[in-house]
Each structure stands twice: as structure tokens, then as C-alpha cells.
């Protein structure tokens, strides 16, 4: 049996809420089913994420939304797994089609900007619990309040092991900003230069401000359906799926922090299921939260040899008119990063690219698209391969 | 309740939710200037941080062993904003032979640190009386 990716919708990515949370969910739900060419009452399963995974409580929000949206459902759930939360919602929605229980499901990811330093004071008990749940009791003692130091040390090792330079990383940030300039949903649309990246404020060495993604607000929805539900747009279906979670959270005690098993194994499973190779992919969206990390992900997904991604980026191969366009949306760095929703923002971009609806940033006639998501510091990952028919 | 007292209260509560007896024991021993973790008597691996069961082979037969007090600096950075400590807060990964890489506070000027340098343990006593581990470049005066 096959699963069609029938429709998608996203809000613009912004720093903070422009409507309320329930309005935001209703908006992407209604636009996604309209894009899919089905009626809201035909939806049998609804799977949502919490308001991100580091922010305020959203217990029972899924139950609340069944009421607010007026849906009688055969399946309803809230899914959380860090950065892969919305791919977990997607996974549940996909499986309910594959088992034949449901014909039409909707997965929704959402996030409201979390500022650990601001919210630490305003929502003190909740923030302290969040910090301990996220980083563990042991490391909370060492004052780890964001994942940035972990990624910074991984980036430092990547430079040390492969000779990658700050200029290499900056070139990637500039390329992504160029893509975002053509994306009306992007949070950051002012062009930047390599020198601006290299002189931006140091956050956690070697990561400067413009090497980092930011906490953002936004929601994204997608509609998954049985293969006989076809809507009105070109058919895109799921050709391969892979998932792997390593026995670690953030810094592994022994495994590499410059080659990530989760991305390698999840993508190997997805390529195998789809019967394709990395070279066959025409467009990809990857869960890139820092410049150096993004280069490592390109390599671990098999697009380039280890240590060479920066050279290929410099040669323009990952641009929208390159050999393998990656993150045409602007990526997390410039589209913005509402983490709980990010994987479904990626999926929406790939769907539009495959249908030829991506406007100014459209890549040339893609057939196969790839979506990658991760949680922790790439401790776990999901890869989805989609095909246009 | 003032903010420092609130932080202590809710941190204690969070630890009572998400901690374990082994974590309590680790920090109790650290206060006595002991730097220890648990070794699995079945597979021989030393885990970090300690927990009730070996993450390698899932045996519960464990013993406390001393950890090496010197190691190699694997990677390091500093936090521009710090939750617990005043900025700049230097954080590193120290490779301990036979254990693996542990995340730790680092004492030292960021600019003078280099990957692969030898570092040694010191015990850092905090205002609340608790003790955490930090490493400093080996052979330097305190
Ligand atoms: Zn064992």
C-alpha cells in the first residue's frame, strides 16, 4: 500500500505569536485540507505536537483541538520527541493509513518561541523542570541551559578533524539567506555577506550569531491519505521512510560528534526502502540548526564525502540551480526554526517543490525529494523520501 | 520567595523527579573530594554519569570505582550567557581513559586552551555548599 502526501500548509515563521495558538492550528488545518482537496469532515486522524518541547505546558491540547475544530476522529494524539516531534506525528499518521484503519489523516507541528533566559524567570518552576528533563539531572548542575555549547563543541571538532573554516560556514549561511529572500514565509529576509557572518556577535565559540538558528514561532500541517484518495494536485507519495535513535542524548560518551549515526542509519533505511541512492535525490530539506552541523548532515545523508561538504557548497552545488539543491526554503538559519513544527515546514517545502509550486525558489523539475529531521544533537533522526508521479 | 531560594527549591524538586540514588551518591562523594562512577562487574565498562543499570549490557551488578583525575581536553567552548555560573562560562569535554568523554566545567582562559592538552581535576565548591567537578590545564598552580 502507498501513502499520498496530499496537501500541506504553513504559517509564516515569526519571532512571536501573531494569532493565538488555537487560531494558528485551525488556520493550518483548514488550509492543508483545502490544499489536499478533501473536506475537514473526511479527516479521521489528527496528530499534533505540543507547543514545542521546551516551552510552557500544552497538556490535552490535542483533545481541546478536536472540540475546537469540530472533528469526530478515529485517532487523536499529541506526539513529542524533541526536534522530531512533528515527524513522530507524521509517522503515526502514515501508519494509520498503512494499516488500513484510516483513509485521511492530518499531522500538525507547532512551536511558540521559547527564550530560556527570559522564561527562566517568568515561568520559574516550569523552566527548571524543563532544564532537568532536557539535559538531565547531572548536566543541569553544570549550568547547561541551551544546546548551543554542545553544538559548538561538535563544530570545533569538525574544524579540527576536517580543516573546515569559519569562512566555509559563513558561505553556507549566506547561501541560505539568499534562498530565504525568495520565501515570503521566512523570518529572515535581509541579504547578508560573508564578512557580516564572520563579524557577527560570538555566541559560543566557534558559533557566531549568524551561524545559529533561532527559536521561532509557527505551525505547519500536512495531509496523508490512502493511495486512492487523489485530490486535485499532482500526486506525491511516500517512497521511503527511515528512523534511528542512538542510545545517547546530546553528547554521547563514546560515539563520534562529527559523524552522526542517526542521520546515516535513518537515511540508509529510507534509501533502501525507496530503492534509490543519495545521487538520485533532486531536492532536500534538512534539519540544520547551526552552519557547521548542516555541513556534517549533508555528508551523513550521503550527498558528499566526509569533510568535503563546504567545498561543494562553495561550488554552488546546493543552490536552487545546483546539482543537489538543499534547503531552498532558507533552512532553519534563515526560514527560522519553530522546532516543534520544523520537520513539517521542511516537508511542505519539498511537497511544493515536487509539485512545481515553489515560485521564485523553484528548483528545476524535481521528481525525488528528501526530508531530514533530528533531535538532541542528532542523537535521533528521521528521513522521508517522497516522489512526484 | 526570592529568586535564588526559588531556584534552589525547584531544583531540589526537579532532582527528586528526574534524579536517582546514583546521582545523589555521585555528588555526595564529590563533596568528600571523591571522583567516582559505577563499573559493571559483568561487562567491565565504566559508565558516566552513574545510573542503576549498565547502559552497555543492562546488568545491575555494579561497583563504585575511582575515575582518572587527569584526562585529555577533547573539545571546549564558552557560554556567553550562563544559567548557574557567571559568564564567560567555559565548558569542555574531557576524555578519561577507560571511561569516555565527560561534559565538565573548565577552569582556565578560553584563549589558552587547546584540543588534546592534558587537564586535571579540581573540586569546585559553590555558594550553596554543593561541589561540582571542573578541570584545569595540568601542571598549573591553583
Ligand atoms: Zn555491563
Amino acid at each position: 500500500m502507498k501513502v499520498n502526501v496530499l496537501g500541506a500548509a504553513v504559517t509564516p515563521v515569526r519571532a512571536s505569536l501573531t494569532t493565538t495558538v488555537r487560531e494558528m492550528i485551525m488556520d493550518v488545518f483548514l488550509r492543508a485540507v483545502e490544499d489536499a482537496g478533501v473536506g475537514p469532515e473526511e479527516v479521521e486522524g489528527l496528530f499534533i505536537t505540543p507547543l514545542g518541547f521546551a516551552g510552557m505546558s500544552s497538556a490535552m491540547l490535542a483533545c481541546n483541538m478536536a472540540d475546537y475544530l469540530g472533528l469526530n476522529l478515529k485517532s487523536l494524539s499529541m506526539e513529542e520527541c524533541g526536534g522530531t516531534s512533528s515527524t513522530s506525528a507524521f509517522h503515526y499518521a502514515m501508519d494509520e493509513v498503512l494499516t488500513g484503519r484510516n483513509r485521511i489523516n492530518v499531522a500538525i507541528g507547532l512551536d511558540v518561541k521559547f527564550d530560556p533566559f527570559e522564561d527562566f524567570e517568568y515561568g520559574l518552576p516550569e523552566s527548571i523542570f524543563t532544564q532537568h528533563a532536557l539535559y538531565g539531572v547531572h548536566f543541569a548542575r553544570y549550568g547547561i541551559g541551551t544546546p548551543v555549547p554542545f553544538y559548538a563543541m561538535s563544530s570545533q571538532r569538525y574544524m579540527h578533524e576536517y580543516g573546515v573554516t569559519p569562512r566555509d560556514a559563513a558561505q553556507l549561511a549566506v547561501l541560505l539567506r539568499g534562498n530565504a529572500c525568495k520565501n515570503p514565509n521566512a523570518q529572515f529576509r535581509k541579504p547578508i555577506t560573508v564578512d557580516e557572518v564572520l563579524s557577527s556577535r560570538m555566541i559560543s565559540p566557534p558559533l557566531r550569531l549568524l551561524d545559529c538558528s533561532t527559536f521561532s514561532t509557527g505551525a505547519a500541517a500536512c495531509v496523508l491519505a490512502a493511495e486512492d484518495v487523489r485530490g486535485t494536485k499532482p500526486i506525491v507519495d511516500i517512497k521511503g521512510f527511515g528512523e534511528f535513535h542512538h542510545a545517547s542524548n546530546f553528547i554521547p560518551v563514546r560515539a563520534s560528534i562529527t559523524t552522526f549515526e542517526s542521520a546515516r542509519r535513518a537515511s540508509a533505511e529510507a534509501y533502501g526502502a525507496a530503492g534509490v541512492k543519495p545521487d538520485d535525490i533532486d531536492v532536500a530539506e534538512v534539519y540544520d540548526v547551526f552552519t557547521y552541523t548542516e555541513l556534517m548532515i549533508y555528508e551523513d545523508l550521503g550527498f558528499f564525502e566526509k569533510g568535503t561538504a563546504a567545498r561543494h557548497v562553495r561550488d554552488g552545488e546546493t543552490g536552487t540551480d545546483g546539482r543537489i539543491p538543499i534547503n531552498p526554503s532558507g533552512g532553519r538559519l534563515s526560514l527560522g526554526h519553530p522546532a516543534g513544527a520544523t520537520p513539517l515546514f521542511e516537508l511542505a517545502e519539498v511537497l511544493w517543490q515536487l509539485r512545481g509550486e515553489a515560485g521564485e525558489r523553484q528548483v528545476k523539475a524535481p521528481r525525488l525529494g528528501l526530508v531530514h529531521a533530528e533531535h538532541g544533537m542528532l542523537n535521533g533522526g528521521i528521513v522521508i523520501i517522497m516522489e512526484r508521479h | 520567595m526570592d529568586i535564588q531560594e526559588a531556584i534552589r527549591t525547584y531544583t531540589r524538586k526537579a532532582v527528586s523527579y528526574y534524579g536517582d540514588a546514583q546521582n545523589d551518591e555521585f555528588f555526595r562523594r564529590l563533596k568528600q573530594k571523591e571522583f567516582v562512577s559505577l563499573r559493571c562487574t559483568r561487562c567491565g565498562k565504566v559508565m558516566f554519569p552513574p545510573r542503576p543499570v549498565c547502559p552497555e549490557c543492562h546488568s545491575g551488578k555494579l561497583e563504585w570505582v575511582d575515575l582518572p583525575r587527569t584526562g585529555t581536553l577533547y573539545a571546549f567552548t564558552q557560554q556567553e550567557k550562563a544559567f548557574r555560573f557567571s559568564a564567560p562560562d567555559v565548558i569542555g569535554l574531557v576524555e578519561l581513559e577507560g571511561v569516555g568523554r565527560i561534559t565538565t566545567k573548565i577552569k582556565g582562559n578560553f584563549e589558552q586552551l587547546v584540543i588534546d592538552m592534558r587537564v586535571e581535576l579540581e573540586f569546585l565548591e559553590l555558594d550553596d555548599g554543593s561541589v561540582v567537578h571542573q578541570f584545569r590545564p595540568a601542571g598549573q598552580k591553583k
Side-chain angles (χ1 to χ4, degrees), chain A residues 45-49 62-63 73 75-80 89 92 108:
Chain A
L46 178 67
F47 310 96
I48 72 170
T49 69
C63 316
L73 296 162
S75 322
L76 174 66
S77 182
M78 182 188 284
E79 302 294 314
E80 192 277 320
Y92 197 165
I108 300 179

Side-chain angles (χ1 to χ4, degrees), chain A residues 261-388:
Chain A
E261 209 55 12
S262 67
R264 290 171 76 104
R265 290 172 72 157
S267 62
E269 183 189 348
Y271 292 134
V276 303
K277 301 183 302 298
D279 278 352
D280 298 325
I281 301 298
D282 301 310
V283 60
E285 281 275 322
V286 312
Y287 194 112
D288 53 319
V289 280
F290 299 95
T291 45
Y292 300 89
T293 316
E294 176 156 352
L295 295 170
M296 292 183 249
I297 294 172
Y298 291 179
E299 295 160 359
D300 293 341
L301 294 176
F303 296 138
F304 309 117
E305 290 291 309
K306 202 70 207 171
T308 68
R311 178 159 58 77
H312 295 281
V313 168
R314 193 161 58 229
D315 292 346
E317 292 177 41
T318 61
T320 51
D321 56 355
R323 182 171 69 79
I324 165 70
I326 310 179
N327 286 337
S329 68
R332 285 5 84 195
L333 262 62
S334 282
L335 172 66
H337 182 39
T342 279
L344 295 186
F345 271 91
E346 298 177 41
L347 185 125
E349 176 70 17
V350 170
L351 176 65
W352 297 325
Q353 290 284 353
L354 293 176
R355 284 178 179 171
E357 298 173 354
E360 271 189 272
R361 61 188 192 283
Q362 179 65 48
V363 314
K364 194 160 168 261
R367 184 176 66 85
L368 285 173
L370 179 145
V371 172
H372 160 264
E374 59 103 351
H375 63 75
M377 188 172 78
L378 285 113
N379 304 85
I382 288 182
V383 171
I384 302 160
I385 296 174
M386 306 196 299
E387 181 176 28
R388 178 184 50 89

Side-chain angles (χ1 to χ4, degrees), chain A residues 76-362:
Chain A
L76 174 66
S77 182
M78 182 188 284
E79 302 294 314
E80 192 277 320
C81 190
T84 59
S85 297
S86 64
T87 19
S88 298
F90 171 94
H91 195 174
Y92 197 165
M94 178 180 80
D95 282 358
E96 286 284 61
V97 174
L98 288 173
T99 62
R101 233 191 122 239
N102 294 354
R103 295 181 70 241
I104 303 175
N105 292 323
V106 174
I108 300 179
L110 50 141
D111 212 305
V112 176
K113 183 190 176 187
F114 168 67
D115 182 331
F117 295 96
E118 196 174 296
D119 294 351
F120 195 69
E121 293 193 15
Y122 290 120
L124 189 63
E126 192 148 20
S127 292
I128 289 176
F129 271 78
T130 298
Q131 192 199 11
H132 282 78
L134 280 173
Y135 305 109
V137 162
H138 187 88
F139 297 115
R141 286 228 188 205
Y142 290 86
I144 304 291
T146 76
V148 181
F150 296 137
Y151 280 97
M153 292 191 284
S154 160
S155 300
Q156 185 195 39
R157 287 297 305 189
Y158 185 55
M159 296 168 76
H160 177 76
E161 292 170 23
Y162 298 101
V164 174
T165 66
R167 184 162 290 271
D168 290 334
Q171 269 159 342
L172 175 59
V174 170
L175 184 153
L176 293 171
R177 182 58 62 90
N179 291 349
C181 287
K182 298 175 184 162
N183 186 350
N185 291 317
Q187 187 177 354
F188 303 101
R189 300 183 67 193
K190 183 172 159 281
I192 52 172
T193 65
V194 166
D195 286 340
E196 280 169 333
V197 179
L198 292 175
S199 59
S200 62
R201 183 161 58 89
M202 189 61 89
I203 299 293
S204 206
L207 300 176
R208 292 178 180 276
L209 184 68
L210 293 175
D211 286 308
C212 303
S213 59
T214 176
F215 294 106
S216 307
T217 302
C222 76
V223 181
L224 299 184
E227 61 182 323
D228 62 318
V229 185
R230 305 184 69 85
T232 56
K233 304 264 176 94
I235 290 296
V236 171
D237 68 7
I238 300 167
K239 198 172 171 69
F241 181 90
E243 175 165 358
F244 183 77
H245 305 272
H246 184 260
S248 59
N249 198 26
F250 295 106
I251 298 285
V253 175
R254 294 182 192 91
S256 173
I257 56 170
T258 55
T259 294
F260 298 103
E261 209 55 12
S262 67
R264 290 171 76 104
R265 290 172 72 157
S267 62
E269 183 189 348
Y271 292 134
V276 303
K277 301 183 302 298
D279 278 352
D280 298 325
I281 301 298
D282 301 310
V283 60
E285 281 275 322
V286 312
Y287 194 112
D288 53 319
V289 280
F290 299 95
T291 45
Y292 300 89
T293 316
E294 176 156 352
L295 295 170
M296 292 183 249
I297 294 172
Y298 291 179
E299 295 160 359
D300 293 341
L301 294 176
F303 296 138
F304 309 117
E305 290 291 309
K306 202 70 207 171
T308 68
R311 178 159 58 77
H312 295 281
V313 168
R314 193 161 58 229
D315 292 346
E317 292 177 41
T318 61
T320 51
D321 56 355
R323 182 171 69 79
I324 165 70
I326 310 179
N327 286 337
S329 68
R332 285 5 84 195
L333 262 62
S334 282
L335 172 66
H337 182 39
T342 279
L344 295 186
F345 271 91
E346 298 177 41
L347 185 125
E349 176 70 17
V350 170
L351 176 65
W352 297 325
Q353 290 284 353
L354 293 176
R355 284 178 179 171
E357 298 173 354
E360 271 189 272
R361 61 188 192 283
Q362 179 65 48

Side-chain angles (χ1 to χ4, degrees), chain B residues 40 42-43 54 56-59:
Chain B
C40 172
R42 183 155 94 188
C43 75
C54 172
E56 297 288 332
C57 76
H58 304 103
S59 166

Side-chain angles (χ1 to χ4, degrees), chain A residues 28-86:
Chain A
V28 290
F29 172 83
L30 291 174
R31 286 193 289 118
V33 295
E34 188 186 358
D35 185 50
V38 300
E41 66 291 343
E42 293 180 81
V43 174
E44 292 172 305
L46 178 67
F47 310 96
I48 72 170
T49 69
L51 302 180
F53 46 89
M56 297 298 164
S57 169
S58 36
M60 286 189 71
L61 183 58
C63 316
N64 190 314
M65 289 313 298
D67 170 38
Y68 198 63
L69 296 169
L71 299 176
N72 291 305
L73 296 162
K74 290 170 70 185
S75 322
L76 174 66
S77 182
M78 182 188 284
E79 302 294 314
E80 192 277 320
C81 190
T84 59
S85 297
S86 64

Side-chain angles (χ1 to χ4, degrees), chain A residues 117 120 124-125 128-129 132 137-139 141-145 149 152 156-157 201 203-205 252-255, chain B residues 6 10 18-19 23 26-27 46 48 56 74-81 83-84 91 99 101 103 110 132-133:
Chain A
F117 295 96
F120 195 69
L124 189 63
I128 289 176
F129 271 78
H132 282 78
V137 162
H138 187 88
F139 297 115
R141 286 228 188 205
Y142 290 86
I144 304 291
Q156 185 195 39
R157 287 297 305 189
R201 183 161 58 89
I203 299 293
S204 206
V253 175
R254 294 182 192 91
Chain B
Y10 288 113
Y18 295 118
N23 178 68
F26 176 84
F27 284 103
V46 178
F48 194 88
E56 297 288 332
Y74 187 81
F76 57 94
T77 187
Q78 64 186 354
Q79 298 197 97
E80 167 210 41
K81 289 185 186 172
F83 269 97
R84 248 190 113 89
I91 291 170
V99 181
R101 297 187 293 266
T103 304
F110 179 84
V132 296
H133 49 78

